[in-house]
Amino acid sequence: MPGIVAAAACIPRYRLPRELIAREWGGQAAGGEKAVANHDEDSLTLAVNAALALEGAGERPDAVFFATTTSPYTEKQGAATIAAVLDLPGATRTADFTDTLRAGTSALLAGLDALAGGARGVLVAAGECRLGEPDSIAEQSYGDAGAAVLLGGGAERVQVVATHSIADEFLGTWRTREQEFPRSFPGAFEARYGYGRVLGEAVQGVLAKARVPPQDLATVILPTPNLRAPQAVAKALGLDAKRQLQESFWTTVGDTGAAQPLLALAAALERAKPGDLILVAGYGDGADALLLQVTAPAAAAGPSVWRQIEVKRTLPSYGRYARFRGLVRRETVTSDPSSAVVMFRDRKELLPLYGGRCPKCGTVQFPKHRVCIECAYPGGLEEVKLARRGRLFTFTNDYLFESPDPPTSHAVIDLDGGGRLYCQLTDCEPERVEIDMPLELVFRRIHEGGGFNNYFWKARPT
């Protein structure tokens, strides 16, 4: 029976207190803080890093689905990039689910359909970096995060009991191609006539299919655009909000859009017990509801959601956030040092991170050279996949390199298992960088040369 093998999340380390946002505009703070993607992160890198945490959790997927409303590209598939970073074969099926906040749950349903159609495993990865209009409620509410769920048909730890979907043409929140920020009608119009009505119908529908009363649910995951919205739905459905509603992380991470149901599901599975019934719902232009039953304890897949919330760096000012988000723009001079031809030629080194190993002396090196740098063996090197952990060999803090968060730390890293990598450091204060500190590689956006996004690996303290 198809079900969930494992789930993981990727929460950025930066946090922006809502008090700083309110103070900037002279308004009222909504309380708590929100997660903010670093200047080198976007919805795709968040999804990739969540997916990387699932490597080895089960059979390698033969389909990858990417869910987001904030894809880095208007016309280019993100799922194909995820499959390339994971070093999946060319026969992998890829698809993007976009333009609706229930893209995450819709991608899950499509993954289950793919399993029923013969797929062995499906990876659903979601990422979101929604930009709220300055001096708005949305600016305080929206948070950034990624999440990934691995679906399988054999070694699943969570079985799918029933699903129910509703399509509903309702203009609640929207954004046209010409609009930079999402729009919505003011007041409680959407909460009353869209969110509460459609979510309630979807939840009732899936419970009716499974013949399960609401009180039997161990955990209920509802989209949380604000703290009050799920409480009203839970009350209308006869749920015990204190006992059954899953923590939404709204006060610590924020409303993470299409990634929110998958993020909450990953957190719920970390603490679920065999036999628990979990209901997860997504909302947007209708609603999806999935009823799940835990059959075995979840396997550890990367740092827990709770741990990632605890490990954080607080942004000191709204201005720093504005630079990260490009709300403050200035003219820059760039030589566009990028080429689609070079990207194609070096795609295996840049994305899944392959190097070379000398067949004579065994030295691992990056990039892959024709001649060994150690023993000068001229017969070419063998391909080898590099480790994503290591220790800092040397570094320099560059105050002249243009960056939204200066200085930029350039580093040389000795990777576990061999190989030395030159890259940038991220998510760390330059004054805390020191020789031999343990580091992990994370997939990030390097720059936008050539008119397209250039991705590679950076290192951050473990």
Side-chain angles (χ1 to χ4, degrees):
M1 180 182 294
I4 296 173
V5 177
C10 175
I11 299 174
R13 291 194 173 177
Y14 276 110
R15 303 289 185 275
L16 180 63
R18 293 189 172 100
E19 177 62 34
L20 287 182
I21 303 175
R23 190 185 309 160
E24 180 69 23
W25 304 112
Q28 185 71 30
E33 58 189 13
K34 69 174 189 174
V36 174
N38 205 335
H39 65 89
D40 55 3
E41 293 181 293
D42 57 26
S43 59
L44 181 57
T45 65
L46 292 170
V48 166
N49 288 311
L52 288 171
L54 296 180
E55 284 190 309
E59 191 170 354
R60 299 190 79 197
D62 46 16
V64 175
F65 297 155
F66 175 46
T68 185
T69 65
T70 53
S71 175
Y73 287 100
T74 301
E75 185 175 338
K76 189 185 183 309
Q77 196 181 72
T81 302
I82 298 174
V85 175
L86 296 177
D87 198 24
L88 298 177
T92 302
R93 182 188 306 177
T94 57
D96 285 5
F97 291 75
T98 62
D99 302 332
T100 176
L101 289 177
R102 65 175 170 131
T105 51
S106 294
L108 280 179
L109 293 174
L112 295 173
D113 291 340
L115 291 174
R120 298 186 307 275
V122 179
L123 174 70
V124 177
E128 205 74 285
C129 286
R130 301 165 75 201
L131 185 60
E133 187 171 12
D135 193 15
S136 71
I137 296 174
E139 185 179 39
Q140 292 199 37
S141 178
Y142 293 167
D144 305 330
V149 175
L150 181 62
L151 303 174
E156 72 280 351
R157 293 181 172 85
V158 181
Q159 292 184 350
V160 179
V161 179
T163 66
H164 189 67
S165 292
I166 296 170
D168 186 71
E169 171 51 36
F170 181 82
L171 192 63
T173 299
W174 72 92
R175 177 166 59 93
T176 69
R177 292 189 182 277
E178 289 73 31
Q179 293 169 340
E180 189 173 4
F181 309 108
R183 303 294 181 90
S184 61
F185 286 106
F189 173 74
E190 182 175 13
R192 180 176 300 178
Y193 298 104
Y195 175 91
R197 171 180 60 86
V198 179
L199 264 183
E201 186 178 340
V203 172
Q204 289 173 341
V206 76
L207 292 179
K209 284 183 178 180
R211 298 181 180 179
V212 172
Q215 58 268 24
D216 285 357
L217 299 173
T219 305
V220 177
I221 298 169
L222 298 177
T224 308
N226 58 68
L227 285 175
R228 294 182 180 180
Q231 303 287 331
V233 175
K235 183 178 180 180
L237 293 170
L239 298 168
D240 184 340
K242 290 184 178 180
R243 179 178 65 86
Q244 293 175 289
L245 274 188
Q246 164 65 29
E247 165 65 53
S248 67
F249 308 113
W250 191 90
T251 57
T252 52
V253 179
D255 174 8
T256 52
Q260 190 178 53
L262 276 62
L263 171 67
L265 177 59
L269 293 179
E270 290 171 1
R271 301 186 174 187
K273 303 183 296 294
D276 282 356
L277 287 171
I278 299 176
L279 190 147
V280 55
Y283 166 77
D285 302 288
D288 300 319
L290 296 87
L291 182 61
L292 313 171
Q293 184 168 38
V294 180
T295 56
S304 72
V305 173
W306 314 92
R307 176 61 177 165
Q308 291 184 65
I309 291 175
E310 291 174 356
V311 178
K312 63 182 181 179
R313 300 177 65 199
T314 301
L315 286 172
S317 67
Y318 180 86
R320 183 76 64 85
Y321 163 77
R323 288 209 304 268
F324 281 12
R325 279 292 176 272
L327 296 174
V328 178
R329 296 183 175 92
R330 58 182 179 181
E331 293 185 3
T332 58
V333 179
T334 176
S335 58
D336 286 342
S338 299
S339 164
V341 175
V342 173
M343 293 281 288
F344 174 76
R345 183 194 67 193
D346 298 337
R347 63 192 184 281
K348 201 162 187 179
E349 293 180 343
L350 297 174
L351 299 181
L353 199 62
Y354 273 82
R357 176 187 286 117
C358 177
K360 181 179 179 181
C361 69
T363 300
V364 177
Q365 47 211 272
F366 181 87
K368 182 183 174 185
H369 303 284
R370 292 184 180 180
V371 177
C372 177
I373 60 174
E374 186 68 27
C375 70
Y377 175 74
L381 306 182
E382 303 167 344
E383 273 190 342
V384 59
K385 197 169 185 179
L386 301 180
R388 297 198 185 105
R389 286 181 179 267
R391 291 186 174 273
L392 184 64
F393 174 72
T394 189
F395 72 97
T396 182
N397 291 326
D398 189 344
Y399 287 84
L400 300 180
F401 189 90
E402 188 169 308
S403 167
D405 190 22
T408 298
S409 297
H410 303 277
V412 177
I413 302 163
D414 283 329
L415 298 174
D416 295 348
R420 184 168 282 179
L421 180 70
Y422 171 74
C423 66
Q424 295 177 10
L425 299 183
T426 189
D427 292 350
C428 63
E429 296 89 349
E431 61 272 13
R432 299 183 64 179
V433 178
E434 56 185 22
I435 300 298
D436 207 37
M437 67 188 299
L439 300 167
E440 63 180 357
L441 300 186
V442 288
F443 192 69
R444 293 295 173 91
R445 188 178 66 245
I446 301 298
H447 57 80
E448 297 177 359
F452 54 87
N453 294 319
N454 292 252
Y455 295 98
F456 188 57
W457 300 85
K458 293 187 179 183
R460 71 178 182 184
T462 56

